[in-house]
């Protein structure tokens, strides 16, 4: 056992030294900060492959160091400010964790907007180029994406909208919070890492999250009921951004900026969206094995669409109030989703 510890310690030290050596040899070192654990799909299947892709394309001139689980300090809602202020170089974050700050991006979080993660992700990326540059002008966005359509996970069985009455449900954004309220539930807002403890202590009775995150959060061990909303558009999604400090980006040599550009934006959105669709299966399988997965009936889906329609109207009014044409933006977002959805 002692020998094994010594060997593992030596390997860890060698890996650390190799990482430090690579960073020292690079012309530019970029520190990436996010709030999920290393076992999460975001870290393992998006950020790590992207890191390798960029480092290889640069011939080692760019080194990327990833710090998961808020290792560099702060809380998830502070991530975008960390990138803006240069506390870190790049963050993976949810704009919706700072309500009201990025209202245009919230169009994709409205009820029944999301199609596939792949199609909706590419739609968000193009929508940013057309309509959201001013909203994110204090950082340099590298890529936007969404997760696959969210599922309602609850301790008690939910088969129809009326069953949500009185339940406290974790919500990721204002839009979905309002949607839950129209269905009789009480939204409780919190970053997703806080969800397992909130469920175990009874702070919430359920949550809306996609299948993929249920595995690292062990949601199938905390609730037994899972409700899917079928159809061409799902109940909701959340918008994520990979955002970089502007000064750090602009201070890079032009050829290295081009490498970063070539491996972010729509290029990255295309493969990241597909990843999010593909990683749903394990979470669904786990839920089926340990609990009950139900599908909302077609008439209940239509009823849900009807009762949550006011959320869209509220968003349009909010955008009109800040001098933007909310109806036109909603129409364009909807058209872009159709354009990219296969």
């Amino acid at each position: 056992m002692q020998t094994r510890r010594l060997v593992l310690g030596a390997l860890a030290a060698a890996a650390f030294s190799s990482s430090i050596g690579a960073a020292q040899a690079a012309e530019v070192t970029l520190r990436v900060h996010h709030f999920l654990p290393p076992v999460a799909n975001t870290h393992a299947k998006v950020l790590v492959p992207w890191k390798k892709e960029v480092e290889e394309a640069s011939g080692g001139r760019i080194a990327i160091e990833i710090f998961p689980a808020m290792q560099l300090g702060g809380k998830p809602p502070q991530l975008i400010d960390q990138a803006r202020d240069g506390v870190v170089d790049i963050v993976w974050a949810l704009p919706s964790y700072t309500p009201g700050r990025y209202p245009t991006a919230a169009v994709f979080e409205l009820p029944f907007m999301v199609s596939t993660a792949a199609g909706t992700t590419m739609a968000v990326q193009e929508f940013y180029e057309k309509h959201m540059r001013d909203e994110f002008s204090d950082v340099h966005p590298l890529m936007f994406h969404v997760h696959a359509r969210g599922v309602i996970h609850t301790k008690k069985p939910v088969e129809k909208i009326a069953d949500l009455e009185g339940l406290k449900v974790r919500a990721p954004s204002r839009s979905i919070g309002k949607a839950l309220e129209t269905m009789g539930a009480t939204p409780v807002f919190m970053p997703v890492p806080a969800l397992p403890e909130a469920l175990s202590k009874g702070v919430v009775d359920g949550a809306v999250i996609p299948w993929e995150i249920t595995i690292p959060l062990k949601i199938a061990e905390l609730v037994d009921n899972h409700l899917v909303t079928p159809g061409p558009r799902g109940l909701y999604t959340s918008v994520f951004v990979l955002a970089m400090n502007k000064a750090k980006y602009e201070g890079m040599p032009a050829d290295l900026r081009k490498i970063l550009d070539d491996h972010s934006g729509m290029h990255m959105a295309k493969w990241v969206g597909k990843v999010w669709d593909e990683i749903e299966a394990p979470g669904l399988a786990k839920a089926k094995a340990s609990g009950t997965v139900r599908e909302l009936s077609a008439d209940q889906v239509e009823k849900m669409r009807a009762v949550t329609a006011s959320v869209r109207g509220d968003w349009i009014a909010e955008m009109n109030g800040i001098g933007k044409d909310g109806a036109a933006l909603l129409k364009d977002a909807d058209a872009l989703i159709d354009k990219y959805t296969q």
Side-chain angles (χ1 to χ4, degrees), residues 18-38:
S18 176
S19 174
I20 294 297
Q24 289 176 339
E27 292 179 36
V28 175
T29 299
L30 303 175
R31 297 189 306 162
V32 181
H33 201 202
H34 69 88
F35 61 84
L36 291 179

Side-chain angles (χ1 to χ4, degrees), residues 104-108 124-125 127-137 141 144 239 324:
T104 311
V107 65
F108 292 95
V124 177
Q125 187 63 42
F127 191 84
Y128 159 73
E129 302 290 347
K130 296 171 67 175
H131 303 296
M132 299 195 310
R133 285 188 172 275
D134 60 332
E135 200 158 275
F136 289 87
S137 61
F144 290 85
V239 174
K324 296 189 176 184

Side-chain angles (χ1 to χ4, degrees), residues 41-80:
N41 288 305
T42 297
H43 183 94
K45 297 189 177 182
V46 173
L47 294 177
V48 170
W50 176 72
K51 157 190 162 71
K52 293 177 179 177
E53 185 179 286
V54 172
E55 288 178 341
E56 290 175 5
S58 72
R61 294 172 64 202
I62 298 175
I64 297 176
E65 301 172 346
I66 305 173
F67 298 87
M70 302 304 297
Q71 288 179 353
L72 299 180
K75 298 180 179 180
Q78 298 171 326
L79 280 167
I80 295 180

Side-chain angles (χ1 to χ4, degrees), residues 22-339:
Q24 289 176 339
E27 292 179 36
V28 175
T29 299
L30 303 175
R31 297 189 306 162
V32 181
H33 201 202
H34 69 88
F35 61 84
L36 291 179
V39 296
N41 288 305
T42 297
H43 183 94
K45 297 189 177 182
V46 173
L47 294 177
V48 170
W50 176 72
K51 157 190 162 71
K52 293 177 179 177
E53 185 179 286
V54 172
E55 288 178 341
E56 290 175 5
S58 72
R61 294 172 64 202
I62 298 175
I64 297 176
E65 301 172 346
I66 305 173
F67 298 87
M70 302 304 297
Q71 288 179 353
L72 299 180
K75 298 180 179 180
Q78 298 171 326
L79 280 167
I80 295 180
D81 285 342
Q82 288 184 355
R84 180 197 65 191
D85 298 339
V87 175
V88 297
D89 302 310
I90 298 172
V91 298
W92 176 81
L94 279 94
S96 63
Y97 277 0
T98 51
R101 184 170 171 183
Y102 303 101
T104 311
V107 65
F108 292 95
E109 299 177 337
L110 295 174
F112 296 100
M113 282 294 286
V114 60
S115 59
T116 61
T120 309
T121 288
M122 288 186 282
V124 177
Q125 187 63 42
E126 182 172 333
F127 191 84
Y128 159 73
E129 302 290 347
K130 296 171 67 175
H131 303 296
M132 299 195 310
R133 285 188 172 275
D134 60 332
E135 200 158 275
F136 289 87
S137 61
D138 56 353
V139 292
H140 178 78
L142 294 169
M143 186 269 303
F144 290 85
H145 77 90
V146 301
H147 61 60
R149 57 181 65 190
V151 178
I152 301 174
H153 310 268
T154 52
K155 293 180 179 180
K156 63 170 281 189
V158 174
E159 299 182 51
K160 54 187 183 299
I161 295 173
D163 294 335
L164 289 167
E165 184 74 35
L167 296 186
K168 294 174 293 182
V169 182
R170 180 265 174 183
S173 65
R174 285 197 306 167
S175 295
I176 296 307
K178 289 180 179 180
L180 289 168
E181 284 182 330
T182 67
M183 294 184 280
T186 299
V188 180
F189 300 95
M190 66 182 70
V192 75
L195 180 56
E197 183 178 4
L199 282 169
S200 64
K201 291 185 175 181
V203 175
V204 294
D205 305 304
V208 284
I209 52 175
W211 288 119
E212 65 90 13
I213 198 62
T214 61
I215 289 185
L217 296 181
K218 303 184 186 304
I219 298 302
E221 299 173 18
L222 296 166
V223 304
D224 295 324
N225 300 280
H226 314 271
L227 184 67
V228 176
T229 52
R233 299 290 182 91
L235 173 59
Y236 93 99
T237 190
S238 291
V239 174
F240 299 81
V241 63
L242 189 66
M244 185 172 179
N245 175 264
K246 289 186 74 171
K248 185 73 173 185
Y249 173 80
E250 292 167 359
M252 293 172 60
D255 60 333
L256 293 186
R257 286 202 308 271
K258 184 177 187 308
I259 288 171
L260 205 56
D261 293 344
D262 289 346
H263 293 274
S264 56
M266 188 61 82
H267 165 85
M268 189 178 182
K270 286 179 180 178
W271 67 263
V272 168
K274 291 178 181 177
V275 167
W276 243 264
D277 283 324
E278 293 167 356
I279 59 182
E280 288 287 275
L284 172 58
K286 179 79 171 176
K288 285 181 175 179
S290 62
T292 302
V293 178
R294 298 178 176 87
E295 192 171 276
L296 199 64
S297 66
D299 65 310
Q300 283 289 304
V301 171
E302 288 309 308
K303 183 177 180 181
M304 189 177 282
R305 279 179 172 272
V307 299
T308 61
S310 61
V311 181
R312 290 189 172 208
D314 290 345
W315 181 84
I316 289 173
E318 179 183 1
M319 298 309 294
N320 292 345
I322 60 174
K324 296 189 176 184
D325 188 338
L329 288 169
L330 177 58
K331 183 178 180 180
D332 195 36
D334 199 54
L336 287 171
I337 293 173
D338 284 341
K339 170 185 173 180

